[in-house]
Amino acid sequence: MNNIQFQDFGTQNNWINGRYLSSNSSNTIAVISPYYDKEIATVPDSNFSDLDDAVQGAKKAFPDWASKNIRDRAEVMFNLKSIMQKNLEELAYLIALDNGKTVADAKGSILRGKEVVEFATSLPSVLRGDSSPVGAGVTCTMTHEPLGVVAGITPFNFPAMVPLWMIPLAITTGNCFILKPSEQTPLSALKIAEYLKEAGLPDGVFSVINGSRVAVEGICDHPDIKAVAFVGSSNVAKIVYSRSTALGKRALCLGGAKNYMIVVPDADQDSTAKGLLASSMGSAGQRCMAASVAIGVADIDHIIDQLVEEAKAFELGVDMGTIISKTALDRITNYIDDAEKMGARVLIDGRTAPQPEEYKNGYWLGVTILDGVDPNWPCAKEEIFGPVLSIIRTDTLENAMKIENENHYGNAAAVFTTSGEVAKMISESASAGMVGINIGVPVPREPYSFGGWNESKYGHGDITGRSGVDFWTNLKKVTARWPKSTDTWRKYF
Ligand code: NAD
């Protein structure tokens, strides 16, 4: 049951040195609940001096934290995992309220984030180091060393899960981490700060700096921040990547997406129709793994007919939450209006979907399915980030692959078929970092890493899994030849 009560959280501060601290900036940002179109909190639009307070606290905490045994650092993750499990309802509720997800969706996203916490608990085994003889009496030992003070900047659409892609790996490897959450959805990040303290994390190892562009630019520019991870739109990802790396920082910036699902007539009808719907409409289409275009090769009408029937049963507020903001709602609706004017057939029109009576001011848009879409229309090429599925019809697999390959993004792609040969061909030729075979949302589970290609990512490596561990650490190689024993010791031999 999705029972989201309005709640006013008042002024929310930054989290620095293990406690809430008010900002040095007098500028604030209103946090609006998309269920109510009403302010539920304000956060500071933090400035460089706020960020510097967090950096100084982190620098002070770093030597002790980095010198702890990795088992002790992983212990905090064991504790965090059970605290998150115990408080699942509370965290999910905060996410629903500021992001607009249903409570069920919010819980699902937390559980996905928790998988990275679980992976972090295994780091004492994963990072046990390498050592071997490399010459006569000479050994080489390689260890992963923390970088120091590092930072992450995250988007609105997964307010807890995306920060949890970064926090567990960055801090368990011995870094001190500063998070700049989305100013639209800051509530759960602050709650995670409280959980980490309860889990035993020393003050200063984790901080939250609220804010927007000024705080992000400060993170890119601060001389004592060694690495920056970013997840958000490609335009900002590109800016953060170039600004951070220009100053010699390590940066990994994940951007936007346009993901295509290729459907062939031999695909299993029931699971394909359900898979297309879940992939395009989950999180109301506001996720970088949403496949927002289905490319039907030859006649897939039987699958589309079932998709439309399934979609008719979708209920706003139960199966799908809201859009994040009025601005986003208008932007998405414009894509639908324009596609209709260009000649798309609107099989299901989310603009007229019944809205939940109890949240009548919410930013609602129902399932929208557009058929007969031309590959060159904006709805087929650009990231819409809403519950809109465009269907392109084509005759050949080659054409389908050409459409997928020509898009400048490269996060994910999927193929629905019962033919092994087709599946192999599409998965080998897709220009995307994550590919699904009969899976519409091909998120690799830990320890496999998450990350796209092309303009869906700036920087090398992925954000989670072993690749994430590598991002947050430096390799140290010690080559040793032990000196001959001195005379004092020789007598014992
Ligand atoms: P966004 O780019 O607007 O914001 C992301 C972060 O950047 C926020 O913390 C925001 O405060 C900051 N920011 C925004 N404008 C800025 C500017 N001009 N200068 C400096 N910082 C700025 O993204 P969003 O709307 O919050 O999230 C949606 C986007 O995130 C979509 O494009 C989606 O595909 C992408 N996303 C990608 C992944 C992935 O794994 N590739 C995952 C989740 C979301």
Side-chain angles (χ1 to χ4, degrees):
M1 182 61 195
N2 202 33
N3 184 15
I4 315 286
Q5 298 298 324
F6 179 83
Q7 202 178 331
D8 187 350
F9 294 87
T11 305
Q12 297 286 300
N13 288 318
N14 293 329
W15 178 271
I16 296 176
N17 284 326
R19 65 190 175 90
Y20 285 109
L21 193 68
S22 53
S23 167
N24 304 313
S25 159
S26 51
N27 298 334
T28 57
I29 303 170
V31 181
I32 308 291
S33 172
Y35 273 102
Y36 288 97
D37 181 35
K38 221 165 140 186
E39 181 177 309
I40 48 170
T42 59
V43 287
D45 198 1
S46 300
N47 57 25
F48 192 83
S49 134
D50 295 317
L51 175 67
D52 193 51
D53 286 346
V55 172
Q56 296 315 322
K59 276 175 75 178
K60 198 157 160 256
F62 177 68
D64 267 3
W65 180 243
S67 64
K68 273 192 192 307
N69 188 300
I70 191 165
R71 285 179 197 287
D72 294 337
R73 297 198 299 255
E75 188 66 27
V76 175
M77 291 299 124
F78 276 108
N79 297 340
L80 176 64
K81 181 186 161 184
S82 54
I83 294 168
M84 281 174 60
Q85 191 65 54
K86 194 175 72 192
N87 294 292
L88 189 61
E89 293 287 336
E90 173 187 55
L91 200 55
Y93 188 75
L94 292 178
I95 293 171
L97 201 53
D98 69 8
N99 170 283
K101 286 187 195 300
T102 62
V103 173
D105 250 8
K107 276 188 195 161
S109 72
I110 297 165
L111 295 177
R112 279 297 172 92
K114 192 162 71 72
E115 288 182 12
V116 187
V117 178
E118 284 160 8
F119 177 53
T121 64
S122 73
L123 290 189
S125 308
V126 174
L127 291 188
R128 64 195 186 281
D130 281 332
S131 186
S132 60
V134 291
V138 179
T139 55
C140 192
T141 304
M142 186 166 76
T143 53
H144 286 76
E145 303 295 327
L147 306 176
V149 180
V150 299
I153 301 154
T154 52
F156 80 81
N157 64 326
F158 284 102
M161 184 188 84
V162 172
L164 287 168
W165 286 351
M166 304 173 184
I167 301 166
L169 303 184
I171 66 181
T172 308
T173 50
N175 299 287
C176 292
F177 184 87
I178 298 171
L179 174 68
K180 206 302 281 173
S182 166
E183 63 276 34
Q184 294 176 284
T185 57
L187 298 179
S188 45
L190 291 166
K191 192 49 78 181
I192 289 172
E194 293 177 19
Y195 294 165
L196 279 165
K197 183 164 176 124
E198 189 185 338
L201 192 72
D203 294 347
V205 177
F206 177 70
S207 327
V208 179
I209 291 293
N210 288 295
S212 56
R213 183 175 175 161
V214 174
V216 171
E217 290 177 349
I219 288 173
C220 299
D221 296 348
H222 200 296
D224 292 329
I225 294 179
K226 305 291 183 203
V228 179
F230 172 92
V231 178
S233 59
S234 287
N235 285 344
V236 185
K238 203 189 275 182
I239 294 168
V240 170
Y241 183 77
S242 25
R243 195 160 171 152
S244 303
T245 53
L247 293 172
K249 293 183 203 311
R250 186 176 294 188
L252 178 60
C253 301
L254 273 56
K258 189 75 183 175
N259 307 319
Y260 297 83
M261 297 180 282
I262 294 166
V263 186
V264 299
D266 74 2
D268 175 71
Q269 179 179 325
D270 187 57
S271 61
T272 302
K274 290 187 166 80
L276 298 185
L277 194 62
S279 176
S280 52
M281 302 303 155
S283 298
Q286 301 169 110
R287 59 179 172 185
C288 66
M289 294 300 278
S292 56
V293 179
I295 308 178
V297 181
D299 183 5
I300 58 156
D301 281 353
H302 55 298
I303 295 171
I304 301 302
D305 289 347
Q306 183 176 337
L307 168 72
V308 169
E309 283 314 305
E310 302 260 348
K312 283 181 187 159
F314 249 62
E315 213 181 308
L316 281 177
V318 177
D319 301 302
M320 205 160 88
T322 70
I323 302 303
I324 183 66
S325 65
K326 178 79 175 68
T327 314
L329 181 60
D330 291 345
R331 180 179 48 74
I332 302 163
T333 310
N334 281 339
Y335 271 105
I336 305 171
D337 295 346
D338 288 350
E340 193 176 24
K341 278 185 212 138
M342 288 174 171
R345 287 192 306 284
V346 184
L347 301 185
I348 303 242
D349 192 345
R351 295 167 296 188
T352 54
Q355 303 184 357
E357 198 37 51
E358 61 274 43
Y359 311 112
K360 55 182 185 309
N361 294 329
Y363 309 138
W364 298 107
L365 181 64
V367 171
T368 301
I369 301 179
L370 307 172
D371 200 358
V373 167
D374 184 286
N376 291 313
W377 293 351
C379 67
K381 294 199 304 192
E382 296 169 12
E383 183 176 46
I384 300 178
F385 227 54
V388 182
L389 175 65
S390 301
I391 302 170
I392 297 174
R393 309 288 191 142
T394 187
D395 288 336
T396 64
L397 281 171
E398 283 68 25
N399 274 346
M401 280 323 295
K402 188 164 172 288
I403 295 166
E404 193 279 340
N405 281 186
E406 280 177 354
N407 195 272
H408 59 99
Y409 291 115
N411 218 38
V415 57
F416 287 86
T417 181
T418 48
S419 152
E421 193 182 358
V422 171
K424 184 169 183 293
M425 192 277 260
I426 301 287
S427 62
E428 284 173 358
S429 49
S431 181
M434 294 170 278
V435 179
I437 297 174
N438 298 314
I439 290 188
V441 187
V443 175
R445 311 291 286 256
E446 296 302 303
Y448 297 98
S449 59
F450 186 101
W453 286 4
N454 310 331
E455 290 181 40
S456 290
K457 187 178 74 185
Y458 299 88
H460 175 74
D462 285 343
I463 194 87
T464 65
R466 180 59 202 236
S467 193
V469 171
D470 291 341
F471 178 73
W472 298 115
T473 52
N474 268 329
L475 289 177
K476 180 174 273 181
K477 287 74 57 182
V478 176
T479 308
R481 173 185 287 122
W482 301 102
K484 286 209 164 66
S485 306
T486 60
D487 286 345
T488 328
W489 290 100
R490 205 174 287 273
K491 61 185 179 218
Y492 298 116
F493 284 91

